[in-house]
């Protein structure tokens, strides 16, 4: 009986010690994790067909972007959707949200989800009409 009490006590102590240990990074994604060069595959869907094609017309594009660190919670995305400028994006957990899209005025409502070495973006693109866009950025 005493042996089982000792084993039970040792097991409980081990669980308490292991439970109190924290991961070095807590498993959360940091700005440093996403900084780098990415190749983006973009899918653009026409909402109204005002570009000369039918509504729902789909187009595909590929381009490179660069993500640099601005501070501990913000990165700067350059060359997104061929924009010659850049804009800042806030990191929260595994999500990204664009703060302002200037000077990329045709790109709006950029949000992203990070999974491994990929970022999945959803955004709106405006020219003479509005497009829904989905992009997958793969870290190079």
């Amino acid at each position: 009986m005493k042996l089982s009490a000792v084993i039970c006590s040792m097991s409980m102590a081990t669980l308490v010690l292991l439970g109190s240990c924290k991961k070095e990074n807590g498993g959360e994604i940091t700005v440093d994790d996403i900084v780098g060069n990415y190749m983006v595959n973009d899918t653009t869907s026409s909402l109204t067909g005002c570009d000369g094609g039918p509504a729902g017309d789909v187009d595909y594009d590929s381009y490179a972007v660069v993500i640099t660190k601005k501070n501990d919670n913000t990165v700067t995305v350059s060359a997104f959707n061929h924009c010659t400028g850049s804009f800042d994006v806030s990191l929260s957990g595994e999500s990204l949200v664009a703060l302002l899209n200037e000077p990329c005025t045709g790109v709006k409502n950029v949000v992203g989800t990070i999974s491994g070495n990929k970022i999945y973006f959803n955004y709106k693109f405006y020219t003479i009409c509005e497009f829904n866009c989905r992009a997958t950025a793969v870290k190079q």
Side-chain angles (χ1 to χ4, degrees):
M1 193 66 121
K2 289 183 183 183
L3 182 58
S4 64
V6 170
I7 291 173
C8 183
S9 296
M10 288 175 58
S11 297
M12 292 300 285
T14 302
L15 288 174
V16 168
L17 286 173
L18 290 175
S20 66
C21 293
K22 289 184 178 180
K23 291 181 183 179
E24 183 179 329
N25 188 8
E28 291 185 25
I29 296 170
T30 67
V31 165
D32 294 325
D33 295 332
I34 62 171
V35 167
N37 297 318
Y38 288 79
M39 180 54 82
V40 179
N41 289 313
D42 208 338
T43 303
T44 303
S45 302
S46 170
L47 296 178
T48 60
C50 70
D51 62 343
D57 191 25
V58 177
D59 192 19
Y60 303 96
D61 193 12
S62 294
Y63 51 91
V65 298
V66 177
I67 298 178
T68 55
K69 181 177 181 174
K70 183 167 186 174
N71 60 44
D72 287 343
N73 297 318
T74 308
V75 294
T76 300
V77 178
S78 300
F80 192 80
N81 196 325
H82 304 288
C83 176
T84 57
S86 60
F87 56 90
D88 293 338
V89 178
S90 175
L91 171 66
S92 176
E94 296 177 353
S95 298
L96 295 168
V97 177
L99 301 175
L100 290 174
N101 300 116
E102 298 295 336
C104 303
T105 56
V107 176
K108 302 282 188 213
N109 305 325
V110 179
V111 295
T113 304
I114 303 161
S115 179
N117 69 336
K118 295 180 182 176
I119 303 174
Y120 300 96
F121 288 104
N122 288 304
Y123 65 99
K124 300 280 188 192
F125 181 66
Y126 298 89
T127 56
I128 57 172
C129 52
E130 178 182 337
F131 298 90
N132 279 332
C133 302
R134 283 182 294 210
T136 302
V138 180
K139 193 171 189 178
Q140 302 299 293

